[in-house]
Amino acid sequence: MELNKRQEQILQIVKDYGPITGESIAEKLNLTRATLRPDLAILTMAGYLEARPRVGYFYTGKTGTQLFADKIKK
């Protein structure tokens, strides 16, 4: 799966500052949380990020290849 530029920026922010809330990510990118919601959903569903209530988003540490391999195993 290819990520767009904003999704790559989000991943880098979460790697550097995680766990981090969606609101904090939006502030760092000078965007609204509503603007980021689709990207955060894609990154979470793809397995790059995990989200926890009252904690925020954090990086799973998995690469695209590892995520693909996990899907095949299932």
Side-chain angles (χ1 to χ4, degrees), residues 16-33:
D16 293 343
Y17 300 101
I20 186 170
T21 64
E23 190 66 38
S24 296
I25 296 169
E27 283 178 20
K28 291 187 181 302
L29 295 173
N30 295 320
L31 299 169
T32 65
R33 175 144 167 37

Side-chain angles (χ1 to χ4, degrees), residues 51-69:
R52 297 265 167 84
R54 293 185 295 272
V55 175
Y57 293 92
F58 59 94
Y59 183 64
T60 61
K62 294 185 179 181
T63 64
T65 306
Q66 289 171 322
L67 293 169
F68 184 68

Side-chain angles (χ1 to χ4, degrees), residues 1 3 7 9 12 16 19 22 24 26-28 31 43-44 46 48-49 56 58 63 73:
M1 176 177 156
L3 302 177
Q7 291 167 345
Q9 289 175 320
Q12 191 60 49
D16 293 343
S24 296
E27 283 178 20
K28 291 187 181 302
L31 299 169
L43 293 170
T44 302
Y48 289 101
L49 299 179
F58 59 94
T63 64
K73 287 178 185 176

